[in-house]
Amino acid sequence: MDIEKLRSETPGLTHGIHLMACGSALAPQPVLNAVMAYLDLEAKVGGYEAHAQQAEMLDGVYESVARLIGAKRHEIAIMENATAAWCQPFYALPLKPGDRIITCQAEYAANYVAYLHRQKKDGIEIDVIPNDESGAIDLAALENLICEKTALIAITWVPTNGGLVNPAAAVGAIARQHGIPYLLDACQAVGQMPVDVEALQCDFLSATGRKFLRGPRGTGFLYIREKWLQSMEPAALDHFSAPLVDSSHYAVREDARRFETWENSYALRAGLKVACDYAMAIGLEAIQQRAWRLAAELRQKLARLPGCRIMDLGAEKCAIISFTIDGLDPQLAVHSLRTEGIAIGMTRPTSSLLDAERRQLPVMLRVSPHYYNNEADLDACVAALKSLL
């Protein structure tokens, strides 16, 4: 990995230090070029005409996403964000009164809202897997929760509020053994670590482009395992997902694009394709190794600050760090560092409410280095925080 080259291809680094890949990472120049070139073409020739000229390139985004996660191109749908991608299979599943969903303590709030919505609307029940001693999903407890009414296992692989990495592949093995559909929120995982849907044994996977993948905001994708494509009909259809056959009939598409609608941002799709290709060219194993090493170093540096408490769970920790510092208001700290050109963030209890209530978590600071960061970035962040104490 040529770090200096990668840093030179990240124009955002000339404006400051960015340590928020878990929120929205800095896009590399090739991604920016792809988006801007497509917008420029639309301005010159028109939207429909630009699409006609670039149809082959735009169609390639499905192959790029599929290669990124070890899927087949017809199992991929491109969405405007990860939540939209996650909701498509969840609301398409024919859950009925008494059916039970199993989820995890670190589940993302948007997903849990959807569980409550279907509980209210359809009469389903929600089971939450206890954590093991490290704070990750307790696999034995998961086995004990499964019953004849279990209709779905849905978990967040890497939560938004810290460095925990749940054992997603082991959960997939249990789901497959019992024949239970498995929906995996990989929003914080894609782009910072290898993702292989066959190894994960998930039936559905959702992700965003804007986080560790370094793609444009307003992009996401959904993976649907091939076996579900003929049996699962979307909750809503249009004439792209289900073209009219005649005035009385429609035919739902045979691929995962049955979950898309006709209109979308082609410029952002062009950027998403380049982001996938860019990550694959570097190598996800190399990206994970560097990003996680930088995060481990930053945890050690932060832990030496007076009153700092690292709040990350799990035996395995990724490139997201959550922490508190006694007497330091997170909102003030984020604002103060921003004025110094250092981007960090904070996470509120409502983003992962079950985990926050169980651990009585306050608003926490959150930092997330990526492979384009270096040790000087880490030192500058710690020094800036120290100056506030």
Side-chain angles (χ1 to χ4, degrees), residues 29-50:
Q29 192 64 55
V31 170
L32 300 174
N33 291 345
V35 175
M36 297 305 294
Y38 194 88
L39 288 174
D40 185 62
L41 181 62
E42 283 190 335
K44 290 176 179 176
V45 304
Y48 284 19
E49 293 74 14

Side-chain angles (χ1 to χ4, degrees), residues 103-116:
T103 189
C104 62
Q105 292 278 357
E107 185 70 324
Y108 186 50
N111 302 346
Y112 203 83
V113 167
Y115 302 148
L116 294 175

